[in-house]
Amino acid sequence: MAPRLPTLLLALLAACGGGARAVTVYHQQPIVTTTVEPGATYTGLPAYDPRVLDPPPLPNPLPANQFFIQLAQDAQNVQGLSIPLSGAFFGFSIEMSVVTQVGDSYIHPTFLNLMSLIAERAGRVHVRIGGNTQETARLVESLADGKAIEKEKVNTNNPTDTPALLYTPEILYLLSNISSLVNVKWYLGVPLNDTTNLALDIVTYGERILGDNLIGLQVGNEPDLYQRHGHRPEGYGPFDFFGEFGQVVEALKGLGATVNNKLLGPSLAHADWKSEDVWNTGFIPAYHEYLTALTVERYPDDNCAALYEGFGDPIDPQAEFPKYLDHSAPINLLKEYLNSTVIAQQYQKPFIMFETNTASCGGFPGISTSFGAALWALDYGLQMGYSNFSHALLHVGGQNVYYNVTVPTNQSSFHEWTVGPIFYSVLAVAETLGGSNHSQIVDLWPNSGSLFTPGYGIYEDGKLARLALFNYMTDPSGANDYTATIAVGGGETGQPNGTPAQIKVKYLVAPSVGDKWNVTWGGQTLGGQFEADGRLKGELKLETIPCDQAANTCQIKVPAPGYALVFLTDSAAAEAEAGAAGAATFPTTAVTKAKNTATIDEAVLATSNGNKGMQDRYGSTSAGSNAAPRAAGALPGAAVLLAVVAGAAVVRRAAARQI
């Protein structure tokens, strides 16, 4: 593969004032195409797999296509409401070994645009850099040829035999500079593979470079899998982890690092231990002052058998698909955490799903990239909120996995990025919960509790603000579109009529749950494969529906398949419209050698933020982490512009003067 040239350094973004932020992309050689001849088998990178699955048959018996939902106007009249939630509920988890692949080792404007879409709606975006590869990652001052990251070996038959990963402070400067442009907050993973020689440079450098944008440090990753994967001796258990966590605490204190309210754990996969096994060690009271949140990691299934020996027969994605397409999927996945979320509230600690997605070991072809996965993730996110999780991070593993929320390309002169349907779920959850940080959610179980037509009520500052309605079925005939008739107050509730004169509805739709590219959110799209620059295209459409105030009812139609976000107040609708219109954008200009463009030497630009150093190396996630039975360092504008001309060394030196 030809060397990957950089698409952007911070300079031309941060140094250029005003709203016009143009970026030049230098010429590159196109790589392998993703098209497949009829009857042929796709053999390219999983991220670009074109496979489309058939929707499952309609359920038998069919749920009713007309039903009534009674809603209370005031939260005080609703039982079972969640804790207050933030619109920044969904964030991202990026495997450490592929951080430069996902971010291209340079601040790509498409990435900034995507983060800006979320930040405008939610106020901020939470991103974790870590995963299995954090355990053997080591920070070094520099690498050969100006590389920012380098992996030393790869065992292709062990999903967690993570080799030594070397990276430079340049990675942390990259994160800091992103935060100087968009309100992104970072979690960093602290290695725990060698407790005799703890590698804590990521903490000291992270604090100095990221400052307040560093919001948490994850101590170890999936420790309940350490013994199974040969990283600890037989007999290793929760009390051993308890002691190792304490070693890290004391070591960080000795370094003068900020420890109080900064650490995250235990980050179990819920494979060989359960959360209660760790709570029973006295983990929370012992480390209460150091813990900023309690964390777990979970996938509903795994695709490890398709990648590695010894995991049995590969799973057929088409047969697996229906398991993601009803309301029981998130409920069954989350029920074993309900006790832990109660415990977290007792100790006044957030409870975070720190890594999740459709399936571990990279996800499933056809499932992870489908509109059905978007509906699943949206329902899963809202159900986590209802179950009193505070946040959840969707894992991103690079071009060799199926479940990426977004996928960059090294064909920037020829193609743009690819955005998966699940990204729309992130936007939809942000708008469903709103930006007040005071939203509470309740599972309504409408339509006689049908698993194919779930719904939620969202209360903000104690008042009903929004309604979320799903339709998991696919029926192009329209016969299984449904109409929900709602009433706010009135009737037998003993409350006054509260149905508004009109409501507004925003739809997330696609022709089929198997569809990949024809997804729209409020009539807007991010584009199909290699079509996304991170900006929503098309005119925003919110449907206005008049209500019958004499009857105290409104009727809402939900297509099959689809999701309807119903705004029950003018302020809730106005917030959604403002969020869709107000995101900062970072436009790009893709050029070829034939075009006359910027005069900065491309060889200088190519090395201004280091080389990736990870060509043809990719990351994945653990087998076992599933539920199946089997701005302190941000560079000022002048310094960054100088960095474009003088190269990566100037980036590091200029930043060092700021810390």
Side-chain angles (χ1 to χ4, degrees):
M1 182 180 297
R4 298 179 60 180
L5 300 181
T7 54
L8 175 70
L9 182 64
L10 170 68
L12 295 182
L13 291 175
C16 295
R21 298 172 178 173
V23 177
T24 296
V25 179
Y26 284 87
H27 54 265
Q28 297 167 307
Q29 298 300 316
I31 59 174
V32 64
T33 177
T34 61
T35 58
V36 180
E37 295 297 327
T41 300
Y42 176 77
T43 58
L45 292 169
Y48 309 115
D49 191 329
R51 181 173 182 178
V52 174
L53 299 179
D54 295 326
L58 291 169
N60 185 16
L62 288 166
N65 59 11
Q66 295 192 44
F67 54 88
F68 178 74
I69 304 175
Q70 178 68 61
L71 300 165
Q73 176 70 54
D74 297 318
Q76 64 183 9
N77 296 316
V78 180
Q79 293 185 341
L81 277 172
S82 71
I83 61 174
L85 299 168
S86 163
F89 185 88
F90 264 146
F92 304 103
S93 164
I94 300 176
E95 189 67 38
M96 194 163 194
S97 63
V98 299
V99 62
T100 53
Q101 183 189 136
V102 175
D104 225 7
S105 195
Y106 314 91
I107 307 177
H108 200 294
T110 301
F111 176 80
L112 293 174
N113 285 338
L114 293 169
M115 295 302 101
S116 181
L117 288 176
I118 303 167
E120 186 62 33
R121 291 159 171 77
R124 64 194 183 281
V125 190
H126 292 181
V127 181
R128 169 252 197 152
I129 306 297
N132 292 326
T133 47
Q134 80 185 46
E135 297 287 29
T136 51
R138 297 295 182 268
L139 188 147
V140 295
E141 285 295 330
S142 62
L143 290 168
D145 301 321
K147 295 173 183 175
I149 192 167
E150 186 171 51
K151 186 181 283 189
E152 293 192 326
K153 66 166 186 166
V154 175
N155 180 346
T156 58
N157 197 45
N158 187 335
T160 59
D161 184 14
T162 50
L165 182 73
L166 304 179
Y167 65 98
T168 72
E170 196 170 327
I171 295 296
L172 299 174
Y173 288 122
L174 172 69
L175 306 185
S176 182
N177 290 331
I178 289 170
S179 295
S180 72
L181 296 169
V182 181
N183 193 18
V184 178
K185 304 296 183 182
W186 305 95
Y187 300 108
L188 297 179
V190 179
L192 199 59
N193 71 310
D194 184 355
T195 55
T196 303
N197 300 288
L198 290 169
L200 302 177
D201 287 344
I202 192 168
V203 178
T204 54
Y205 275 82
E207 285 190 341
R208 288 161 51 197
I209 295 170
L210 295 176
D212 291 341
N213 292 316
L214 175 60
I215 58 173
L217 298 164
Q218 181 196 12
V219 179
N221 184 68
E222 300 178 338
D224 54 325
L225 289 173
Y226 283 175
Q227 178 185 316
R228 187 196 294 192
H229 293 139
H231 305 318
R232 291 293 190 277
E234 187 167 347
Y236 180 84
F239 279 97
D240 299 294
F241 172 73
F242 174 92
E244 292 175 349
F245 196 96
Q247 284 181 254
V248 174
V249 169
E250 294 306 315
L252 290 174
K253 286 181 180 179
L255 293 173
T258 302
V259 181
N260 284 18
N261 202 36
K262 205 72 169 184
L263 305 184
L264 298 151
S267 304
L268 300 186
H270 264 232
D272 294 346
W273 312 339
K274 303 303 181 187
S275 294
E276 285 78 6
D277 296 328
V278 176
W279 311 151
N280 290 340
T281 68
F283 179 84
I284 302 175
Y287 301 124
H288 185 271
E289 64 184 296
Y290 312 118
L291 289 164
T292 188
L294 304 175
T295 54
V296 292
E297 303 179 11
R298 195 66 180 277
Y299 294 80
D301 210 330
D302 73 70
N303 193 30
C304 299
L307 303 176
Y308 307 108
E309 297 174 1
F311 288 89
D313 295 330
I315 293 172
D316 176 14
Q318 185 66 64
E320 188 81 354
F321 199 20
K323 297 179 183 179
Y324 291 82
L325 296 175
D326 71 52
H327 193 45
S328 68
I331 290 173
N332 290 336
L333 185 62
L334 295 171
K335 60 186 178 182
E336 66 185 86
Y337 295 106
L338 298 180
N339 179 56
S340 290
T341 60
V342 171
I343 292 171
Q345 292 173 69
Q346 292 170 350
Y347 284 96
Q348 298 183 321
K349 294 295 180 184
F351 196 79
I352 302 176
M353 181 62 76
F354 211 59
E355 177 183 320
T356 192
N357 212 303
T358 47
S360 62
C361 289
F364 291 109
I367 294 178
S368 300
T369 53
S370 70
F371 180 64
L375 292 177
W376 167 83
L378 182 46
D379 193 6
Y380 181 32
L382 297 181
Q383 188 65 209
M384 280 190 279
Y386 174 58
S387 301
N388 295 320
F389 284 73
S390 294
H391 298 284
L393 306 181
L394 294 166
H395 198 56
V396 177
Q399 292 175 329
N400 78 319
V401 302
Y402 297 102
Y403 56 41
N404 287 299
V405 180
T406 68
V407 186
T409 174
N410 66 342
Q411 307 176 53
S412 299
S413 298
F414 304 87
H415 295 303
E416 296 184 275
W417 282 28
T418 300
V419 175
I422 282 183
F423 187 83
Y424 295 92
S425 308
V426 178
L427 296 181
V429 166
E431 294 185 36
T432 300
L433 296 177
S436 71
N437 297 320
H438 301 144
S439 292
Q440 294 174 275
I441 189 169
V442 62
D443 191 337
L444 297 171
W445 286 96
N447 200 10
S448 302
S450 170
L451 296 175
F452 300 97
T453 59
Y456 298 87
I458 296 89
Y459 290 77
E460 198 162 38
D461 293 319
K463 298 292 185 181
L464 181 65
R466 303 173 191 86
L467 181 65
L469 298 173
F470 292 78
N471 191 337
Y472 274 111
M473 296 177 288
T474 295
D475 184 356
S477 75
N480 282 287
D481 296 354
Y482 70 75
T483 299
T485 300
I486 67 168
V488 181
E492 298 179 0
T493 67
Q495 304 161 24
N497 290 356
T499 300
Q502 66 178 28
I503 57 176
K504 290 187 176 183
V505 184
K506 189 172 185 178
Y507 288 100
L508 178 67
V509 293
S512 164
V513 290
D515 201 285
K516 289 175 177 286
W517 311 125
N518 299 300
V519 180
T520 59
W521 173 229
Q524 296 180 305
T525 179
L526 286 157
Q529 191 173 41
F530 301 129
E531 292 181 354
D533 65 3
R535 295 177 291 184
L536 287 165
K537 301 173 178 68
E539 182 181 352
L540 174 66
K541 296 178 182 178
L542 270 67
E543 183 174 336
T544 300
I545 298 175
C547 301
D548 184 345
Q549 286 192 296
N552 194 41
T553 59
C554 283
Q555 293 190 328
I556 304 144
K557 187 175 183 178
V558 184
Y563 171 76
L565 176 56
V566 184
F567 301 99
L568 296 166
T569 66
D570 291 339
S571 59
E575 180 183 340
E577 292 171 323
T585 60
F586 302 86
T588 64
T589 303
V591 299
T592 67
K593 293 180 182 179
K595 296 288 184 70
N596 183 19
T597 181
T599 59
I600 297 174
D601 186 338
E602 65 183 86
V604 172
L605 185 57
T607 58
S608 63
N609 205 32
N611 293 324
K612 178 166 74 92
M614 292 288 288
Q615 287 88 345
D616 304 318
R617 304 295 182 93
Y618 308 107
S620 190
T621 52
S622 296
S625 56
N626 68 78
R630 344 152 289 254
L635 305 188
V640 180
L641 188 56
L642 177 63
V644 169
V645 180
V650 174
V651 176
R652 291 190 290 268
R653 289 198 297 269
R657 290 195 292 270
Q658 307 300 314
I659 60 179

